[in-house]
Amino acid sequence: YNYFPNEKELPGFRSASIKYFEAMEDLAQRIAVLMIKSLGLETSVTDGMDGTENDLLSMLKEEHSSVLRMNHYPPRCENTDAEEAATKGGEKLEYFGFHPHTDSGWLTILQQDPECLTHQVFRPGSDEKWMTVRPAPQSFTILTGDMSMLWSNKSFISAWTRVLTDPVKHRYSTQFCYNPGYKTMISPCKPLTDADGAKYDSCAYGYFRAVKAAGDLADLGVEINVRDYEVGSDSEHPEKQKRFLQNADLTEPFNVQNYRKWIQSNEKDTTLFHYK
């Protein structure tokens, strides 16, 4: 379901994009191995609370739903009235190229624009604040995602990130999101639950990604986060996930309208940013 420019109009673009995707796929797999080993685990560790011998890395490699995005953030359009109102209210008006969010998958590999420093990550703690990412030359920025946080039983933390817009500069970035397959069920890794128990219930990635997409790309009044799967949470999502899986065909391309009645909330969640 990829649409590439005509080869005559942009020679070599398709083949270069595919080669880059494959290189990022290999790099993401290697990083995933290091992440798992950093927890003192073997890479063939049991995945899931039911004791099934599912090799997480094999699932990521063979069934992943990863995407490659090439992003362009043009300079912002000034809004004099809004800036004046914000100044009078003692606030700072911020222009978002992309609102605060966490990435839904396992990890993200980001090739950043070294000339336009508008990408930020949130640092929690007593001095919590948004920090501007300053990429080193010839390097990638790696962001941990929601599924690595859930699978690791919160040993990894998914990064809250946002992109501002510059008043003058154009920003370009290439983003590879390494995601599980839509049919994959992600549960806390059993060896990581021995000390304190599982902190999360099982998550169907297809449902999680569908709701994320609906929240980002369609005004369905629904948001989702890893905290919705915390054990004891009063979130509606685990129950809605069951209905979604009974009705959704995850072999078909995601369509907001087809899935609307299974993912739409009764009440709009207007909260843009949560950190816990």
Side-chain angles (χ1 to χ4, degrees):
Y1 303 99
N2 297 303
Y3 294 92
F4 289 96
N6 187 287
E7 183 67 17
K8 293 182 179 179
E9 297 176 355
L10 201 58
F13 179 79
R14 180 190 177 99
S15 60
S17 298
I18 293 174
K19 287 180 180 179
Y20 187 86
F21 183 99
E22 292 172 344
M24 292 299 100
E25 182 181 26
D26 179 67
L27 178 59
Q29 182 77 4
R30 290 159 56 195
I31 294 172
V33 169
L34 295 176
M35 290 173 68
I36 292 173
K37 287 185 174 181
S38 75
L39 299 175
L41 303 173
E42 296 295 329
T43 54
S44 59
V45 68
T46 298
D47 175 55
M49 296 301 295
D50 58 358
T52 53
E53 295 294 333
N54 290 325
D55 185 339
L56 174 71
L57 289 174
S58 293
M59 290 194 298
L60 284 171
K61 185 175 183 179
E62 296 169 8
E63 303 177 14
H64 67 87
S65 58
S66 304
V67 295
L68 175 65
R69 296 190 180 101
M70 300 176 189
N71 306 311
H72 170 225
Y73 302 90
R76 65 173 177 253
C77 297
E78 300 293 346
N79 189 331
T80 305
D81 292 339
E83 289 183 347
E84 183 178 345
T87 301
K88 289 181 179 178
E91 301 175 358
K92 180 182 178 181
L93 187 65
E94 294 178 318
Y95 294 85
F96 290 126
F98 204 108
H99 65 78
H101 66 284
T102 57
D103 290 340
S104 62
W106 181 265
L107 64 85
T108 298
I109 302 176
L110 189 62
Q111 187 175 45
Q112 303 237 51
D113 187 336
E115 302 297 328
C116 186
L117 304 178
T118 55
H119 177 228
Q120 296 185 324
V121 294
F122 185 76
R123 184 176 72 183
S126 58
D127 60 341
E128 62 182 33
K129 63 179 179 180
W130 286 99
M131 300 179 62
T132 298
V133 178
R134 302 180 183 278
Q138 303 299 313
S139 69
F140 295 103
T141 300
I142 310 299
L143 302 172
T144 46
D146 293 329
M147 292 302 103
S148 61
M149 182 172 175
L150 192 152
W151 183 87
S152 70
N153 210 33
K154 212 173 183 178
S155 294
F156 298 125
I157 303 296
S158 54
W160 278 99
T161 180
R162 69 182 186 181
V163 180
L164 304 179
T165 52
D166 190 270
V168 177
K169 297 179 180 178
H170 291 257
R171 171 183 166 81
Y172 297 91
S173 67
T174 303
Q175 174 187 10
F176 179 81
C177 301
Y178 193 48
N179 302 331
Y182 291 130
K183 296 180 181 179
T184 305
M185 292 292 294
I186 302 291
S187 303
C189 176
K190 192 175 185 303
L192 299 177
T193 66
D194 290 343
D196 301 315
K199 297 178 181 178
Y200 300 99
D201 293 319
S202 297
C203 172
Y205 184 69
Y207 172 77
F208 192 88
R209 185 69 192 97
V211 177
K212 274 269 192 176
D216 291 342
L217 306 176
D219 187 18
L220 296 190
V222 57
E223 296 288 342
I224 196 168
N225 190 268
V226 175
R227 74 184 190 283
D228 291 303
Y229 287 85
E230 290 178 348
V231 173
S233 169
D234 60 356
S235 170
E236 64 181 350
H237 287 297
E239 190 61 33
K240 289 176 66 178
Q241 173 178 280
K242 296 177 184 177
R243 298 197 300 269
F244 178 86
L245 293 176
Q246 291 172 352
N247 294 275
D249 182 357
L250 296 176
T251 64
E252 293 294 323
F254 174 71
N255 185 301
V256 172
Q257 300 307 322
N258 290 348
Y259 294 156
R260 176 182 289 270
K261 63 181 178 179
W262 305 117
I263 61 179
Q264 190 164 23
S265 291
N266 294 326
E267 297 181 1
K268 270 198 173 184
D269 179 0
T270 57
T271 306
L272 259 186
F273 175 67
H274 300 273
Y275 183 85
K276 185 175 180 181

